Amino acid sequence: MSDAVAEKLFAAGEVIYAQGEAGQGMLLVLSGTVEVSVATPEGPRVLARFGAGDFLGDMALITNQPRAATARALTAVTAEWIDDRSFEERLLEQPDRRASYLALLMQRIRITDSLLRLEWHKQEAAVQVTRAAYLEALPATASGRSDWLDLRLISAPGTPPPVIDVIIPQVPFSIGRLTFPLPVDALPTRRLSIPDKEPYQLCRDHCEIVRTAEGLVVRDVESRLGTNVNGVQVGRDFATTEAALKPGPNTLTLGGPESHYRFILELAEV
């Protein structure tokens, strides 16, 4: 391989790039796990973990700014290193890679947008913001109740990549398998598309989070294997197609009992 594109090996614990340094390339993780963290006054804060098939380090190339975070190999890592000279050729001009990268960018934009909204409302409210205060600061609807949520979808501990950590500010919100072309009937901020391999556990439109008169529910849409919500299996072949969410942590598994698509749905207790 050329210097522009090279396979690199990183030992467990090795810093791949550090917060504040110039961004001269990005990674496509081929094997292993990478942890990304940011320095705060209280110490390092872990932002995400990446595994095989994930891209990271690209934002420094796009923005031409120093690294915003530190990436460290949690395990031995093999990665394809792509520098700024080959970014377009190796990523944007290859359809499979471009599609995967666009899906990742949409997730990042969704999370960034939610964090920006939270910061804006902090400044507007000018109070010590708790989860309850955050909701109080959000715009109210005609009925006097905000349609905005404090709902977070996180990969359950021990599940393999891709690691999901998404703030869901509004419903309905759909979850399904990543397919191409990308669906045009749902806003990117209202949908999470997850890569899956055969034999598939996920359907294109697997389930959705909706508001009913009784509260928030997870509704199975068209999955073959069903959806498990807090231990209750729902779907077309089960007793019901939906299950209620409760304040606090909820468990969510997409697919059959052997599925590794397991999540925690945290609904703010207000």
Side-chain angles (χ1 to χ4, degrees), residues 172-175 205-210 217-221 227:
F173 186 87
S174 301
I175 306 172
D205 294 304
H206 196 100
C207 66
E208 60 183 356
I209 303 168
V210 298
V217 304
V218 175
R219 179 178 296 155
D220 191 272
V221 178
T227 303

Side-chain angles (χ1 to χ4, degrees), residues 2-266:
S2 68
D3 292 338
V5 181
E7 189 172 293
K8 293 196 174 185
L9 305 177
F10 301 93
E14 183 177 352
V15 173
I16 297 173
Y17 57 76
Q19 184 175 343
E21 71 180 24
Q24 299 176 336
M26 62 174 291
L27 296 170
L28 168 60
V29 181
L30 302 178
S31 66
T33 303
V34 177
E35 183 175 84
V36 175
S37 63
V38 62
T40 73
E42 293 76 32
R45 178 184 176 188
V46 176
L47 299 179
R49 289 180 178 176
F50 296 89
D54 288 332
F55 299 94
L56 68 152
D58 52 304
M59 296 311 296
L61 295 183
I62 294 173
T63 63
N64 232 4
Q65 297 292 319
R67 301 286 189 192
T70 295
R72 185 187 307 272
L74 273 186
T75 66
V77 169
T78 303
E80 182 178 315
W81 182 266
I82 305 173
D83 73 8
D84 53 359
R85 291 173 292 165
S86 55
F87 175 74
E88 185 171 337
E89 174 190 353
R90 299 292 297 176
L91 188 61
L92 300 183
E93 292 182 359
Q94 295 187 20
D96 290 346
R97 288 190 173 184
R98 181 174 66 241
S100 298
Y101 181 60
L102 287 175
L104 175 65
L105 273 183
M106 283 192 289
Q107 288 189 29
R108 289 178 179 169
I109 291 169
R110 184 185 295 116
I111 294 170
T112 301
D113 179 70
S114 297
L115 292 173
L116 287 173
R117 290 179 188 277
L118 176 58
E119 186 60 33
W120 182 80
H121 288 300
K122 279 184 181 179
Q123 296 173 8
E124 287 292 303
V127 295
Q128 181 65 35
V129 175
T130 61
R131 282 186 157 197
Y134 163 53
L135 293 178
E136 285 295 323
L138 290 168
T141 63
S143 66
R145 184 185 68 184
S146 173
D147 273 345
W148 291 78
L149 302 172
D150 190 1
L151 184 63
R152 186 179 182 189
L153 180 71
I154 311 167
S155 294
T159 55
V163 175
I164 304 296
D165 188 343
V166 175
I167 296 171
I168 302 174
Q170 287 181 292
V171 294
F173 186 87
S174 301
I175 306 172
R177 187 175 77 240
L178 178 64
T179 58
F180 302 105
L182 296 172
V184 297
D185 56 348
L187 295 173
T189 54
R190 297 290 189 95
R191 179 179 178 86
L192 175 65
S193 297
I194 305 173
D196 192 13
K197 297 179 181 179
E198 294 188 73
Y200 296 126
Q201 293 288 325
L202 304 179
C203 291
R204 178 185 178 277
D205 294 304
H206 196 100
C207 66
E208 60 183 356
I209 303 168
V210 298
R211 190 191 297 278
T212 68
E214 288 73 35
L216 291 176
V217 304
V218 175
R219 179 178 296 155
D220 191 272
V221 178
E222 59 174 35
S223 77
R224 179 176 56 86
L225 297 174
T227 303
N228 190 291
V229 185
N230 294 325
V232 177
Q233 195 74 13
V234 301
R236 63 189 183 190
D237 295 328
F238 300 93
T240 181
T241 59
E242 63 184 44
L245 294 177
K246 58 183 177 62
N250 298 262
T251 60
L252 177 68
T253 300
L254 309 184
E258 303 303 319
S259 174
H260 58 264
Y261 295 102
R262 296 182 290 110
F263 305 94
I264 305 297
L265 259 174
E266 292 185 348

